[in-house]
Amino acid sequence: MTNVKPSLLVHRGSVPAVAFFFALSITGKDEAIRRILSIWKPNSRVYRLKKGILLVLPRPVLVSVGEALGLPLIRRRGLLAGMPLTEKEMNTIGQSVETLIISEGGTASTEQLSDESRELVHKWIATDGLKFVLGRSLGNEPPGPVVAKPVELPTVRETLGRIPAPPLELKNLLARLKGEPESNKQERFDWLRRISFQGMTGAARGFIRRIGGLRLRSDYQAQSLTGSRQSGLATRAPAKFSLWLTSAIYKIVMATRLARALGWRQGRYLSRVMQMFENGDVDEALRHAIPLSSISDSPILKMNFGLPGVRQDLRLSPFGRSPSSTMLLGQSLYSRLNQLYRSTFQRLEAQGRIAEAAFVLAELLRANEEAVAFLERNGRLREAAEIAEARELAPEIIVRQWFVAGEKERAIQVARRTGAFHGAVLRLEKSRHPAAPELRKLWAHSLADAGNVAIAVDVLWPLESERSTAVEWMRRAAAIGGRPGARSLARLISVARDGYAEFRTQAIELLQSDSVEEAPARREFAETLSKEPRSPQTQTLARIAARAILRDAGQGLPSLGPFPLRQLVDYSGDGALRADVPPRSPGRRIQLNDLDAAQQYSIAANDRGSTQISEAALLPNGTCAVAMGEAGLKLITRDGRTIAHFDEPADRVVVSDSGGKFITMARRGSVCCLSRVDVESRRIAPWCHAEISRFTTTFDGATWYIASGQDLYAIDATSHRLDALWRIPDLGHFVGPFTLASTKLEFVTYKDKNFWFWEYQLPQLRLRNKTLLPFSRPLDTVREIRLGSCSESGIFDCSAVFPPQETTGADTAVALAARQILFRKTNGGWTEFLAIETDEQVLADPVIASNWLALCLASKSATRILVYGYSKRAKPALRIEIRIEGRCNPSVRVDGSLLTISDDLGHLRAYELTYGEQVRDLNL
């Protein structure tokens, strides 16, 4: 209560109301709640005060005072006034912002708003007895990703043609060598096949192997450092006694000439095949010839004095299995067959029998690359490509062969799946093939379509006929910004017509900026400019660039080295500038990881905006993409001005590495509505609907990795539908976010009652490591599993747990342990690195980058965002702590060296992680 008696007690007419006050003595509690819910707007706030309930709207609405549901309040100097106040009356009241002023008994009454008086509106709605049912669309189920089917390749005989089919005898022999059943088993003589020298020696060696296996069993039970069980046979060399026994049996058999009697069937077959080759009966010889890859001369393998034995079953033994039986040939006989096949190839080549000669190379000698090159030399291009892919040669060879064969779409598909464009182009250019420029052009256009226009310029520039296209792409890259944009900007000034006049202003704005986040772009511009042809215009900009680099170096920012800086100064041709350059650069600026204490940032409760931000992402050109849920998506400048608005709903944003394209996601139950945005043209286009459980928050512009169900997909982000380049099925349930690096993808799944840590090599999606991961705590204490993974930093357990019960004794330790967030290095055990407060909880999955970890914690009074660095220490060290007064739903992103934070209270903050500086401070 104050002593001020306002001249007017209520507003009159129509006023822009920012809030409504409901006096409980007039309306009653139930009626006040009903009225508030009837005019409720998203992002509104409700306060329970002494005399009634206050509703604060997100934005003003024009209302008639006589028809309002409550007492309208307007904002004056941050105060919520229920009556018109003069300047003198305002000065007399003298209250702080976020204070309610109403008339009570003819006198102005005030009450301060605080988070303690904040009312939780959702508690007004009784949900007892209601059952949650997941909504399903009444339309057709969204189709899953469409995986590109591999081309069904024929066998070598079918590909080359004119190669006679192998006889049944050869098929049986090769089947026996592989341990497979024959096609024409003779059941009558099975009992003779069982009685062999192999059986007698095998019994003795099996007895010895079982004795040695007792030790291997105990070794198998041991856990490896990574937590997975490994068989002792996986790393243990053959036992010395086993090698001695094998050698002894071999010597005995050879000394007594039993091998000649026991291996007569093999010898007779080989002798007959060699006789066919020597007599020139090539057709029959090719039918009976044995591929060299089916023959081994290793002395460690078991000797097979009859035909090799058949496996009794296909079970995998956890303790390992000895190698299968093979034909044992002396080195001289092996070399003789090699020489015989090679001379046959030369004879067939001289006779012009291309198909048969290629068959000898590919099937008998297994010289696959030589066979592919031979077929290409002789014009059999498609056959060369089919053999290259069927024999799984290097991806660049496969791409080259399909492109030369005229199958351009197939070549591009393989190149995009395997990232083999570069190697294929180099192979074509090295051989001076006329198709090399066309493949280089397709490569460049593929990069440009993915938004990587700066890299596309570098790829296309060697083709002088395409320079005009490259210049247009440079303009697009310069508009996108970042280091690639700065490089393109410097080149445009030199190569584009009237480039200096057109881009001078943009270049000077970049060089005169003192922004920390643009320091890498300034350095890239200066370094690129010094390599361009010298002209008076470029020399003028070089002088400005040199001063900008010296200014950054004086502030301790990363700058050019002494030699590149001297080159830039010499390029400018300014003698005075050359004399003013200091002999040595100043010391390095203190970085965030060098600080002993964490940087502290705080956001007050009344420092908020009116926009509910679902997620925000900084782009290389300094603009920011802001996802606002159903309100759509907008692009804003550094100072918060809107430059584009898109009506498509957006909850999440997946940004390309170049920043030129991104994908928006809007949740519709279990289905996501996807759209694609082109930043340069400022256009958005709906893409498709898909069920997505996990996804990477960035992509290279062409390939995006998602999880749907228990499957992992590599999605073609340039396709008009949800096409998948790769699919890896049945990995289990994904229990944490993806961690994406330039060459690898990591994640954790839960399958068969075990947790598994996966590492895949990109872009081939080749499995590098699969590790059994023991969990940190009993599963019955966990409400929601959240595991973040990174092979360089470890596994982070930020699972949501059930509240601890009132316990005593030994149970207390278990209950307290369930509240911890744990950190684990991949080669060690679980160790605690943060104990959260009793009333705190983890809001979302941990955000993990190569050197940073971000956690979101919430309590009743505040939301904390903790940023840890672990580049120099085994244990993560707290580097930045951001405290937001009150409850909110924050979104955190780490893109390179930038940390972006946004929430549903309109906060947008960004921090540069090299030095810990705040580069954005906006309320939207």
Side-chain angles (χ1 to χ4, degrees):
M1 186 72 68
T2 65
N3 296 325
V4 177
K5 295 185 177 181
S7 56
L8 297 176
L9 301 181
V10 293
H11 295 291
R12 295 180 179 179
S14 297
V15 295
V18 297
F20 291 94
F21 179 75
F22 301 89
L24 297 182
S25 59
I26 298 176
T27 63
K29 179 180 177 181
D30 294 339
E31 178 63 19
I33 291 176
R34 188 191 67 80
R35 294 185 182 188
I36 289 174
L37 293 179
S38 67
I39 59 175
W40 175 267
K41 299 291 183 182
N43 211 27
S44 298
R45 290 173 285 146
V46 176
Y47 295 88
R48 172 83 63 160
L49 304 178
K50 296 179 181 178
K51 301 295 183 179
I53 303 176
L54 175 67
L55 169 66
V56 181
L57 300 176
R59 57 182 59 86
V61 294
L62 187 65
V63 298
S64 174
V65 176
E67 299 177 357
L69 296 178
L71 177 64
L73 307 174
I74 66 172
R75 190 176 294 276
R76 290 282 307 275
R77 297 184 186 177
L79 306 178
L80 301 178
M83 77 288 286
L85 295 174
T86 63
E87 290 295 328
K88 181 179 180 181
E89 292 170 345
M90 291 286 295
N91 295 331
T92 304
I93 293 175
Q95 294 291 329
S96 60
V97 296
E98 294 297 313
T99 299
L100 172 67
I101 304 176
I102 58 176
S103 176
E104 185 177 357
T107 306
S109 174
T110 63
E111 186 169 353
Q112 180 72 34
L113 306 184
S114 64
D115 282 340
E116 286 75 13
S117 60
R118 185 93 176 255
E119 182 81 1
L120 299 178
V121 180
H122 66 271
K123 292 185 177 180
W124 291 351
I125 303 175
T127 58
D128 298 338
L130 298 181
K131 183 179 180 181
F132 178 78
V133 178
L134 183 65
R136 298 183 61 87
S137 172
L138 297 179
N140 296 329
E141 291 290 337
V146 180
V147 184
K149 294 183 179 180
V151 176
E152 295 182 1
L153 300 172
T155 63
V156 175
R157 293 178 185 268
E158 295 172 349
T159 299
L160 298 176
R162 298 183 58 186
I163 306 299
L168 187 60
E169 187 179 5
L170 176 59
K171 291 183 178 179
N172 291 335
L173 180 59
L174 294 179
R176 299 292 291 176
L177 290 174
K178 296 177 182 178
E180 299 172 353
E182 298 181 16
S183 303
N184 61 339
K185 280 189 175 182
Q186 299 180 7
E187 302 296 338
R188 293 179 298 172
F189 301 103
D190 280 348
W191 65 276
L192 289 175
R193 197 177 289 120
R194 296 191 193 101
I195 303 176
S196 64
F197 185 79
Q198 176 187 355
M200 293 183 290
T201 58
R205 295 177 62 188
F207 174 74
I208 297 172
R209 188 182 299 111
R210 287 185 178 90
I211 295 177
L214 294 177
R215 181 177 180 181
L216 295 180
R217 286 180 182 270
S218 61
D219 292 341
Y220 177 78
Q221 300 297 333
Q223 292 278 342
S224 68
L225 288 178
T226 59
S228 61
R229 293 183 177 180
Q230 297 178 342
S231 171
L233 292 175
T235 56
R236 186 180 297 276
K240 292 183 178 180
F241 183 76
S242 177
L243 290 176
W244 173 85
L245 181 61
T246 300
S247 177
I249 296 174
Y250 176 79
K251 291 178 181 179
I252 293 173
V253 170
M254 291 305 174
T256 58
R257 299 189 177 182
L258 284 175
R260 184 178 302 175
L262 296 172
W264 65 274
R265 293 177 62 189
Q266 297 176 355
R268 186 180 63 176
Y269 185 89
L270 289 173
S271 177
R272 183 151 51 93
V273 171
M274 295 172 67
Q275 190 69 31
M276 292 178 186
F277 277 108
E278 292 171 353
N279 293 338
D281 190 1
V282 177
D283 291 338
E284 284 299 311
L286 293 180
R287 292 186 63 219
H288 292 79
I290 301 175
L292 292 181
S293 60
S294 299
I295 303 174
S296 172
D297 58 349
S298 172
I300 298 180
L301 300 179
K302 287 193 301 181
M303 291 177 294
N304 182 21
F305 298 109
L307 289 179
V310 181
R311 292 190 182 96
Q312 298 300 319
D313 56 66
L314 298 179
R315 288 187 299 106
L316 292 176
S317 170
F319 307 106
R321 179 177 292 176
S322 300
S324 302
S325 303
T326 62
M327 290 186 69
L328 185 64
L329 300 181
Q331 183 64 37
S332 60
L333 183 55
Y334 187 93
S335 301
R336 174 58 181 157
L337 277 178
N338 191 18
Q339 294 173 3
L340 197 59
Y341 292 162
R342 180 64 62 175
S343 62
T344 302
F345 161 71
Q346 295 171 355
R347 187 185 316 133
L348 293 172
E349 182 183 17
Q351 296 174 358
R353 300 173 66 177
I354 305 303
E356 291 88 343
F359 176 80
V360 173
L361 286 176
E363 188 69 13
L364 302 184
L365 292 171
R366 284 288 173 164
N368 296 317
E369 292 193 22
E370 186 180 356
V372 169
F374 173 75
L375 287 170
E376 182 184 351
R377 276 198 316 271
N378 290 275
R380 308 288 290 271
L381 302 180
R382 183 172 182 82
E383 291 87 343
E386 289 179 349
I387 291 178
E389 187 164 7
R391 295 298 170 86
E392 298 182 352
L393 299 186
E396 54 268 21
I397 297 179
I398 300 174
V399 174
R400 179 191 186 280
Q401 297 307 138
W402 279 118
F403 193 80
V404 169
E407 298 283 347
K408 298 178 182 178
E409 293 185 1
R410 179 62 179 166
I412 294 175
Q413 182 184 11
V414 175
R416 294 186 59 193
R417 288 177 58 192
T418 60
F421 266 119
H422 181 254
V425 170
L426 290 182
R427 284 178 174 268
L428 283 174
E429 291 178 341
K430 186 177 180 180
S431 61
R432 301 183 183 276
H433 198 282
E438 186 178 2
L439 182 58
R440 177 176 284 274
K441 182 179 177 180
L442 289 174
W443 178 20
H445 279 275
S446 176
L447 290 169
D449 292 341
N452 301 315
V453 286
I455 304 175
V457 169
D458 296 335
V459 172
L460 192 63
W461 193 255
L463 303 179
E464 295 185 3
S465 60
E466 301 293 330
R467 291 288 173 85
S468 59
T469 303
V471 170
E472 290 301 318
W473 287 351
M474 286 184 193
R475 297 176 187 271
R476 292 173 54 185
I480 294 174
R483 292 186 61 181
R487 183 170 67 251
S488 297
L489 180 62
R491 297 178 67 180
L492 276 172
I493 294 172
S494 176
V495 303
R497 179 178 297 180
D498 298 329
Y500 179 76
E502 183 178 356
F503 299 101
R504 174 180 176 273
T505 303
Q506 184 178 351
I508 291 178
E509 288 179 356
L510 172 65
L511 296 174
Q512 290 182 346
S513 171
D514 57 356
S515 172
V516 175
E517 61 180 312
E518 290 186 321
R522 292 192 292 270
R523 186 172 67 250
E524 187 74 23
F525 178 89
E527 192 170 2
T528 304
L529 186 66
S530 64
K531 299 176 182 178
E532 295 297 316
R534 188 175 303 182
S535 67
Q537 293 83 3
T538 57
Q539 285 182 306
T540 301
L541 289 177
R543 288 191 285 271
I544 302 175
R547 292 186 175 92
I549 294 301
L550 290 173
R551 182 188 68 240
D552 289 344
Q555 296 177 357
L557 298 175
S559 182
L560 294 178
F563 183 71
L565 179 60
R566 178 61 61 181
Q567 280 185 323
L568 179 63
V569 173
D570 293 341
Y571 179 90
S572 68
D574 191 333
L577 179 62
R578 185 183 300 110
D580 291 341
V581 174
R584 64 174 63 182
S585 59
R588 181 177 64 87
R589 188 176 183 180
I590 297 177
Q591 296 186 359
L592 183 61
N593 280 325
D594 296 331
L595 299 176
D596 295 331
Q599 296 276 69
Q600 301 285 337
Y601 295 95
S602 179
I603 302 176
N606 55 4
D607 182 15
R608 64 182 70 193
S610 60
T611 303
Q612 283 187 309
I613 304 177
S614 300
E615 189 176 31
L618 290 183
L619 303 182
N621 61 354
T623 60
C624 183
V626 181
M628 303 175 293
E630 299 302 319
L633 176 85
K634 65 180 179 180
L635 297 178
I636 63 174
T637 60
R638 284 185 171 87
D639 55 0
R641 291 181 293 108
T642 301
I643 56 178
H645 187 276
F646 308 103
D647 290 333
E648 291 293 331
D651 295 325
R652 301 294 303 273
V653 179
V654 182
V655 184
S656 66
D657 295 337
S658 65
K661 296 179 182 295
F662 49 86
I663 302 169
T664 64
M665 306 175 63
R667 284 285 179 185
R668 297 288 185 270
S670 61
V671 178
C672 289
C673 176
L674 305 180
S675 301
R676 290 182 290 195
V677 179
D678 186 281
V679 176
E680 182 194 8
S681 62
R682 296 178 185 174
R683 293 180 180 177
I684 188 170
W687 186 10
C688 60
H689 291 76
E691 293 188 9
I692 299 176
S693 56
R694 298 286 178 178
F695 58 93
T696 57
T697 58
T698 60
F699 69 115
D700 63 0
T703 307
W704 181 36
Y705 299 98
I706 69 168
S708 180
Q710 299 188 25
D711 301 343
L712 174 67
Y713 293 92
I715 298 298
D716 183 0
T718 63
S719 177
H720 66 280
R721 62 180 184 179
L722 198 67
D723 289 336
L725 300 173
W726 295 92
R727 172 178 175 261
I728 303 177
D730 302 327
L731 294 178
H733 297 282
F734 296 82
V735 294
F738 287 161
T739 302
L740 178 64
S742 58
T743 59
K744 59 184 176 181
L745 176 69
E746 300 167 338
F747 52 87
V748 178
T749 63
Y750 181 74
K751 185 178 182 180
D752 299 331
K753 299 183 179 180
N754 286 310
F755 292 93
W756 298 94
F757 172 57
W758 303 79
E759 280 185 82
Y760 278 92
Q761 180 180 343
L762 301 181
Q764 298 86 1
L765 269 183
R766 183 177 301 150
L767 182 61
R768 294 177 55 183
N769 186 26
K770 176 186 176 183
T771 306
L772 180 64
L773 183 66
F775 198 49
S776 59
R777 64 187 98 196
L779 280 178
D780 54 2
T781 65
V782 177
R783 178 167 50 88
E784 183 179 359
I785 299 174
R786 294 191 181 116
L787 293 176
S789 58
C790 180
S791 61
E792 298 177 359
S793 60
I795 312 296
F796 295 90
D797 177 14
C798 302
S799 302
V801 298
F802 292 107
Q805 304 296 326
E806 294 293 334
T807 56
T808 58
D811 294 336
T812 303
V814 177
L816 293 176
R819 296 201 305 267
Q820 310 304 319
I821 299 175
L822 303 176
F823 166 76
R824 177 189 187 267
K825 295 291 284 185
T826 53
N827 61 348
W830 291 98
T831 56
E832 175 188 330
F833 83 99
L834 174 66
I836 65 176
E837 301 295 336
T838 306
D839 62 338
E840 282 187 320
Q841 61 178 344
V842 182
L843 286 182
D845 291 330
V847 179
I848 300 176
S850 57
N851 295 319
W852 301 99
L853 163 69
L855 300 174
C856 298
L857 308 177
S859 63
K860 294 181 179 180
S861 59
T863 301
R864 290 196 301 157
I865 300 172
L866 309 179
V867 182
Y868 290 85
Y870 46 80
S871 59
K872 293 185 179 181
R873 305 183 185 181
K875 184 177 180 180
L878 183 61
R879 296 305 181 190
I880 296 178
E881 180 177 357
I882 304 164
R883 181 181 178 87
I884 304 174
E885 298 295 335
R887 291 293 299 268
C888 64
N889 294 314
S891 171
V892 180
R893 288 182 64 100
V894 177
D895 298 301
S897 62
L898 290 176
L899 169 72
T900 309
I901 296 173
S902 57
D903 58 32
D904 55 353
L905 300 181
H907 300 132
L908 175 56
R909 304 291 189 270
Y911 305 87
E912 203 277 333
L913 292 177
T914 305
Y915 306 102
E917 290 192 3
Q918 188 176 52
V919 295
R920 295 289 187 283
D921 186 3
L922 300 174
N923 291 333
L924 304 181

